[in-house]
Amino acid sequence: MNCFCWFGGVSLDKTFLDRCSASRRGSMRWTMKESQPGEARVLEDFDVEDGVRPELKSMDAYIPILPYEILAERLGRDPADIVKLDANENSFGPSPAVAKALAEAKYLHIYPDPESVRLREALAEYTSVGMEHILVGAGADELIDLLFRLLITPGQGETVVNFPPTFGMYKFDADVNGAEVVALTRSSKDFSIPIDEVEDLFARASKPPKMLFVTSPNNPDGSSISDEVLKRLLRLPTLVVLDEAYYEFSDDNRITWVKDHNNLVVLRTFSKWAALAGMRVGYGAFPLSIIKHLWKIKQPYNVTVASQIAAEASLGDKGNLLEKVDKLIAQRHEFYHRIKSLDWLTPYPSQSNYVLCRVAGGRTAAGIKKELSDRGILIRYYTSAGLRDCIRISMGTPEDMEKLYAALSDI
């Protein structure tokens, strides 16, 4: 005996209902019968995956770094025994003012301020940029995605320029939002961007790229772009997105340039200098002609109450946090001195809280990564073009670094 239910004028037989339950285990396949006898229409082999955008089916997933608890479990160690130097996090941790402010928070049950007004006021003071130029996001990653959503029309062959090796989110968001990426490889010697190639690309292009992404200091090598090269980029007919995630560790500061250049965006984050990677707070300075449209398309409550409180408390205790930044910079200098004794490891110059090193002497980056991991010390290693047999080591506390040096010496 068949059982039927009615939905929108269409009768759904028991086979459909059974197969709906089966959809939890995979793709949904169904039979649909119209309500008029004798006019049955059958849809066979319906697969919900067929509705996925074709370019996303073949897209590579972004592989993030795992947190302490998961890593500790996989290594069979207590989280306290792990030296985590693989994700450019701040080992000193956030300001004590953050925990105090969160403990005293009264309105965690209320939706957050959609405009992050108090935080933007504090950021205006910190950056010397008017708050009308500032937008806060759930990490700078959200702001990158918003720029793609605003400027890229999928399927129209629109392009963006990227300079690998660099931060992977630019390519990731380009793929997600249907943009084509023109990759201009950095110099193998010093990781500088090929500015002459960039200018030649724009001179030949019938349709100029919509955006150009440049990180300074660059991740993973820590090199910075010069004022002269940045000015040349800003003469091009495109939006230049300058990612200054590691600004506090460097000698550069171009965020105030946004007031004078209507094609410049500068992005920053609280993840590194303020040790709020787990809270996901980023911000950017945008031209007024761009930011008015970004306000329209951002999620209304994109930055949580807790994240806004933590960021405000960090800015209120910036003196203490910047002292920790100075200590990490000192660790960076010490690293170069200590690593000289290892003839199989060559460090690159860096203006960030990490150092990229090339592995030689018959050793491999993967092998060094494993030997350190076996000792509870986590670093990043690479096999991609331009970075083959390179490792990246984040700077940590003095105790972290002493454990690293002992392990490297032992290896």
Side-chain angles (χ1 to χ4, degrees), residues 20 44 214 274:
C20 276
E44 296 180 344
V214 58

Side-chain angles (χ1 to χ4, degrees), residues 313-333:
S314 297
L315 289 171
D317 194 27
K318 64 183 179 182
N320 172 45
L321 289 171
L322 292 174
E323 285 181 8
K324 302 289 178 57
V325 167
D326 288 339
K327 291 180 179 179
L328 289 169
I329 293 173
Q331 290 297 337
R332 187 180 73 202
H333 293 309

Side-chain angles (χ1 to χ4, degrees), residues 88 165-167 170 186 191 214-225 242-254 267-268 332 349-354:
N88 301 341
T166 192
F167 185 41
Y170 314 135
R186 291 172 175 265
F191 294 97
V214 58
T215 311
S216 184
N218 185 50
N219 181 6
D221 66 280
S223 63
S224 290
I225 186 175
L242 179 64
D243 191 337
E244 288 191 337
Y246 300 92
Y247 145 71
E248 281 83 3
F249 299 92
S250 73
D251 298 326
D252 301 328
N253 180 10
R254 278 71 168 257
L267 303 178
R268 290 185 180 174
R332 187 180 73 202
S350 173
Q351 288 200 47
S352 195
N353 68 335
Y354 51 84

Side-chain angles (χ1 to χ4, degrees), residues 161-183:
V161 178
N162 193 26
F163 300 108
T166 192
F167 185 41
M169 287 301 295
Y170 314 135
K171 174 69 164 58
F172 172 83
D173 279 316
D175 290 343
V176 168
N177 289 280
E180 297 179 11
V181 178
V182 179

